[in-house]
Amino acid sequence: MKKRKSYLLLYVVLTLVCSACEGWLTVEPETAITGEKLYTTNEGVKEGLNGLYLNMRGLYYPEGRLGGASVLESMACTHTFAEGTPGYRWAGHYYNDLSGDSDIAMIFVGLYNIITNANSLILGTETNKNKLKDEVYNIGRGEALAIRALVHLDLIRLFGPVPSNVDMSEKYLPYVRVNDIKDYEYNTFEEYMTYLLADLDEAEALLEKSDIVVTGTFEETEVSSASWSFRKNHINYYGVLGLQARGRLWKGEVEGALRYARLVKEAKNGDGTAKVRLMTPDDNTTEGLWNNKTTDLTCYSEHLCGVKCDNYDYTQGTAWLARNVSILNYSDTFFEDLFAGNAEDMRYQWFWAYYYNRFGTSGYYCRKYLNFYNSSTSQKNFPIVRLAEMYLIIAENAPLEEANIIYEEYCKARNLTYVPLTESDREERILLEFIREFTGEGQNFYTYKRYNTKNMLFGVRECTEEQYQLPLPESELLNDK
């Protein structure tokens, strides 16, 4: 018999990722980080916050493990893999057949590493509150709390139970709020989600006071000279509202999820224009679609928050290139299964292209990050939360009349013929919209898990709850004597 013992987190605390981000933390002595000094100044808090986002880029990235071309997307069966390959084992959720648990451990350690650094910033801002400007305290602490909640949510979505079938007595994971060299206590699902939503509540309150996009526009921050620039590259106030909707839906608080999704959808600037808006076919030109200069394939106008990937070059990547056989979907029924044969669907036109590669394998490849190259003027932002998710949360859960009003708007934006949802078909139809929409963003496995879907599109085998819960790394398990 094995029991959980969170001694791996000791390793995380002692090897803060800051050592890999030279220049944003003072090292004193050579291997020790003096966060208590860093967070005594306004600039130090800003540097620490920037370092935290650099830390996140290790996982939240087009080719990161929680991005669109790695294990999480493979777990959603987005791509087709030859039997016996690592990709096939991930797609089939044969976790015990993987050679070691290196990817699982790297995800687990990487996420808790982000949390460790977020905790350092949260503590530092509280300790030095009287030395900081109010806006620096509110934004620095607010974003760090939001990041801590985001990362814990992804941990429970990966290593926790199917949310519709939670064992209330089971302790699944530790919600780490204070860094400690001692073992961390594991929490029940209810405890864990209560801590998570409390972090989001505090982040929301802090950012509402000082985030410049509350009283201004996102567009005004799209210059480096802004006091808090490029707010879509951060977990800003509206990103927190989006995470509130996502987190509460995962916990089963449907009314709370709807409340926050509606708040985001209805958010307006002072002149009455929308804070964020859905992309539509009108945002594209034929020229832009093919030369990648005008069409933002990640739908940047509807990003609520994300992680800046300014150093990522799609043309140099090892995973997304069309000639790489490992990221093709070569199912004969791909178009019919995913898009019901509708070639007018904007997602089909923008997100996918057909390719016959040098290996003799033909299939579809995801082109969502095709604009991410060195000379591109596109905003290279890996999306964490998009407005489309809020629309689909409302369409899935609101009273049917409201759901159809929202769904009709959504269909128009995606170039779909609107057919009203019914109570008998909306769950199935909205699930498909989620999968079409968020390909390549590392979200589809979580959607399948929330729905407890038995047969994923292009799936290798039927999924049970066992396939939906990643095993803890061996480093978290100690054999009882």
Side-chain angles (χ1 to χ4, degrees):
M1 178 180 179
K2 292 182 178 180
K3 68 178 181 180
R4 299 164 185 175
K5 181 177 176 64
S6 194
Y7 81 103
L8 170 119
L9 298 182
L10 170 61
Y11 169 81
V12 175
V13 172
L14 295 178
T15 58
L16 294 179
V17 79
C18 308
S19 60
C21 303
E22 294 179 8
W24 70 272
L25 281 180
T26 302
V27 178
E28 187 181 305
E30 287 186 357
T31 58
I33 296 170
T34 57
E36 57 273 13
K37 287 189 175 181
L38 178 72
Y39 303 124
T40 58
T41 68
N42 296 309
E43 285 306 311
V45 170
K46 289 183 176 181
E47 289 178 16
L49 193 58
N50 288 337
L52 192 50
Y53 285 101
L54 288 174
N55 190 180
M56 291 177 68
R57 284 204 316 210
L59 292 172
Y60 298 94
Y61 202 66
E63 293 184 28
R65 287 181 173 86
L66 299 187
S70 191
V71 296
L72 190 54
E73 203 73 19
S74 299
M75 289 162 66
C77 302
T78 301
H79 312 302
T80 310
F81 300 99
E83 190 169 349
T85 62
Y88 181 88
R89 289 190 283 273
W90 281 108
H93 314 104
Y94 294 106
Y95 306 125
N96 293 330
D97 294 340
L98 296 168
S99 55
D101 66 357
S102 59
D103 276 309
I104 294 174
M106 288 299 290
I107 292 170
F108 190 84
V109 174
L111 288 172
Y112 275 112
N113 217 329
I114 296 169
I115 291 166
T116 299
N117 285 282
N119 284 343
S120 178
L121 199 157
I122 292 165
L123 176 62
T125 52
E126 188 61 33
T127 302
N128 300 291
K129 183 177 181 180
N130 63 339
K131 301 176 183 177
L132 304 172
K133 291 181 179 178
D134 286 346
E135 70 171 33
V136 172
Y137 173 84
N138 292 337
I139 294 177
R141 183 179 177 82
E143 287 190 37
L145 285 162
I147 289 169
R148 184 168 77 180
L150 161 71
V151 174
H152 274 109
L153 180 57
D154 284 350
L155 276 161
I156 199 71
R157 294 200 294 177
L158 283 169
F159 296 94
V162 171
S164 59
N165 191 24
V166 174
D167 181 345
M168 291 300 181
S169 65
E170 175 76 10
K171 294 189 174 185
Y172 291 101
L173 288 168
Y175 197 96
V176 180
R177 296 176 294 165
V178 177
N179 296 339
D180 201 328
I181 62 172
K182 298 177 182 178
D183 298 337
Y184 291 102
E185 179 184 353
Y186 274 62
N187 300 114
T188 65
F189 183 83
E190 181 67 27
E191 292 169 341
Y192 190 99
M193 294 303 297
T194 297
Y195 291 141
L196 190 154
L197 295 178
D199 275 352
L200 289 177
D201 287 343
E202 185 178 351
E204 178 187 344
L206 289 168
L207 289 169
E208 186 176 23
K209 295 176 182 177
S210 298
D211 197 337
I212 58 177
V213 295
V214 175
T215 55
T217 69
F218 278 106
E219 290 72 22
E220 290 167 347
T221 74
E222 300 283 306
V223 291
S224 57
S225 59
S227 57
W228 293 89
S229 59
F230 301 101
R231 293 302 292 155
K232 286 190 177 185
N233 302 154
H234 290 247
I235 316 296
N236 58 74
Y237 173 71
Y238 294 99
V240 170
L241 298 188
L243 288 173
Q244 288 269 30
R246 180 186 289 176
R248 289 174 190 279
L249 189 60
W250 195 263
K251 188 174 184 284
E253 294 184 6
V254 174
E255 288 305 315
L258 281 171
R259 173 178 173 266
Y260 278 102
R262 290 165 179 149
L263 281 173
V264 173
K265 181 191 175 298
E266 298 303 324
K268 297 289 191 296
N269 296 312
D271 62 359
T273 58
K275 286 288 181 183
V276 288
R277 62 173 182 84
L278 290 176
M279 290 283 280
T280 74
D282 293 337
D283 291 300
N284 174 60
T285 65
T286 301
E287 178 186 11
L289 182 62
W290 298 110
N291 70 17
N292 310 311
K293 290 183 179 178
T294 60
T295 302
D296 190 325
L297 300 174
T298 68
C299 301
Y300 184 73
S301 77
E302 58 189 66
H303 287 204
L304 298 179
C305 60
V307 177
K308 185 72 170 176
C309 298
D310 53 341
N311 66 340
Y312 179 73
D313 189 340
Y314 181 99
T315 66
Q316 302 300 315
T318 59
W320 285 104
L321 295 178
R323 60 179 176 268
N324 187 334
V325 68
S326 68
I327 53 87
L328 288 178
N329 185 308
Y330 45 88
S331 168
D332 292 337
T333 58
F334 170 86
F335 179 48
E336 291 75 18
D337 288 347
L338 185 54
F339 292 101
N342 180 14
E344 301 303 312
D345 190 318
M346 191 187 81
R347 282 83 53 94
Y348 173 70
Q349 294 179 343
W350 286 21
F351 298 167
W352 294 93
Y354 194 78
Y355 189 77
Y356 187 88
N357 70 21
R358 61 183 179 178
F359 301 103
T361 304
S362 58
Y364 288 88
Y365 69 97
C366 180
R367 59 198 298 274
K368 188 168 281 188
Y369 302 102
L370 210 63
N371 295 73
F372 288 27
Y373 56 90
N374 290 338
S375 60
S376 171
T377 58
S378 173
Q379 295 289 352
K380 295 193 283 186
N381 195 45
F382 181 80
I384 297 296
V385 188
R386 284 199 285 124
L387 179 62
E389 183 178 352
M390 304 299 106
Y391 270 78
L392 293 178
I393 287 174
I394 298 170
E396 176 191 334
N397 297 285
L400 192 60
E401 183 178 358
E402 177 190 359
N404 272 313
I405 292 171
I406 298 302
Y407 185 57
E408 186 172 13
E409 291 181 31
Y410 178 79
C411 287
K412 183 178 181 180
R414 294 305 186 248
N415 207 32
L416 305 174
T417 299
Y418 167 66
V419 177
L421 302 166
T422 68
E423 290 295 7
S424 62
D425 71 7
R426 72 162 157 173
E427 180 176 298
E428 179 182 359
R429 290 171 63 188
I430 295 302
L431 169 62
L432 268 174
E433 298 295 358
F434 270 107
I435 302 307
R436 292 164 181 156
E437 189 70 45
F438 298 108
T439 292
E441 297 180 30
Q443 293 298 323
N444 284 350
F445 175 77
Y446 303 136
T447 299
Y448 281 129
K449 181 171 181 174
R450 184 170 61 81
Y451 275 74
N452 200 12
T453 304
K454 287 186 178 180
N455 293 294
M456 296 181 181
L457 280 178
F458 320 115
V460 170
R461 62 168 173 162
E462 185 175 282
C463 288
T464 66
E465 291 178 27
E466 181 180 1
Q467 279 77 54
Y468 279 122
Q469 187 169 353
L470 271 179
L472 292 173
E474 286 296 319
S475 54
E476 279 291 284
L477 301 171
L478 290 180
N479 290 315
D480 283 339
K481 301 296 183 181

